[in-house]
């Protein structure tokens, strides 16, 4: 998905039917940059990261934010879906950023679903510049669904004050 005349980012899906996905490195699906001389002051939205396995673990970084530059864009979507266990202690970022004019990008969505979810020392940040206002819903969510959930770390789905940076 994209914004005003700007394309969005790409998508990656990693799936193993009966195995394990262990994220130890970095998966980046930043929104694309537009030319510096465009008239829109926008960047495309962040991309999509979808991990699907029997077990998901790791301490790496997943990021589907808009491109963190002087132009705006919204965060993308990150989904971790497991038939058994998710045990992750890394960082998941899915931020929206403020453009150089009055363009603001909302944060994206992180969806985590498993029988058991252990996010020990993890950081999940979907902060952005819109959030929900006056009954309009702009996304910016962290959804965790499991029979057992254990959390420690930082979980941020805040609307950023327009004078602050989302980084």
């Amino acid at each position: 998905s994209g914004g005003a005349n700007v394309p969005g980012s790409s998508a990656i899906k990693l799936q193993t039917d009966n195995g394990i996905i262990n994220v130890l490195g970095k998966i980046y699906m930043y929104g694309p940059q537009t030319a510096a001389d465009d008239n829109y002051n926008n960047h495309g939205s962040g991309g999509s990261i979808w991990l699907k396995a029997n077990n998901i673990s790791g301490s790496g970084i997943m990021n589907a934010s808009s491109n963190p530059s002087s132009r705006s864009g919204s965060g993308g979507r990150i989904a971790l879906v497991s038939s058994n266990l998710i045990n992750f202690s890394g960082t998941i970022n899915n931020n929206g950023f403020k453009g150089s004019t009055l363009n603001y990008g909302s944060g994206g969505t992180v969806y985590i679903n498993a029988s058991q979810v252990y996010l020990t020392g993890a950081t999940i940040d979907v902060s952005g510049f819109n959030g929900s206002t006056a009954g309009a819903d702009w996304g910016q969510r962290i959804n965790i669904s499991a029979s057992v959930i254990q959390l420690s770390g930082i979980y941020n789905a805040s609307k950023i004050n327009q004078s602050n940076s989302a980084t």
Side-chain angles (χ1 to χ4, degrees):
S1 63
N5 300 315
V6 180
S9 185
S10 298
I12 185 170
K13 179 180 181 183
L14 303 176
Q15 178 176 349
T16 177
D17 292 330
N18 294 311
I20 298 170
I21 295 176
N22 191 11
V23 179
L24 297 175
K26 300 175 183 178
I27 303 173
Y28 284 169
M29 297 302 290
Y30 279 131
Q33 286 187 308
T34 56
D37 60 352
D38 77 8
N39 293 322
Y40 300 106
N41 293 316
N42 293 313
H43 276 308
S45 64
S48 172
I49 300 170
W50 183 6
L51 306 183
K52 186 175 180 183
N54 191 38
N55 293 302
I56 299 171
S57 61
S59 57
I61 298 171
M62 290 177 267
N63 194 327
S65 299
S66 173
N67 198 301
S69 67
S70 64
R71 301 182 189 269
S72 67
S74 296
R77 302 291 177 258
I78 298 175
L80 282 64
V81 179
S82 169
S83 57
N84 188 32
L85 172 70
I86 294 175
N87 186 3
F88 188 75
S89 61
T91 300
I92 299 174
N93 288 324
N94 203 355
N95 307 110
F97 292 94
K98 176 185 177 291
S100 58
T101 61
L102 296 177
N103 300 316
Y104 300 97
S106 67
T109 298
V110 172
Y111 173 77
I112 299 173
N113 185 306
S115 295
Q116 300 175 61
V117 174
Y118 298 94
L119 301 172
T120 306
T123 298
I124 300 178
D125 187 351
V126 297
S127 58
F129 287 85
N130 284 336
S132 300
T133 59
D137 189 351
W138 300 99
Q140 213 156 292
R141 284 190 173 47
I142 300 170
N143 300 306
I144 302 172
S145 177
S147 297
V148 175
I149 300 174
Q150 180 177 326
L151 305 174
S152 68
I154 300 170
Y155 302 88
N156 182 11
S158 301
K159 176 182 176 186
I160 302 295
N161 183 307
Q162 294 177 356
S163 65
N164 293 335
S165 169
T167 57

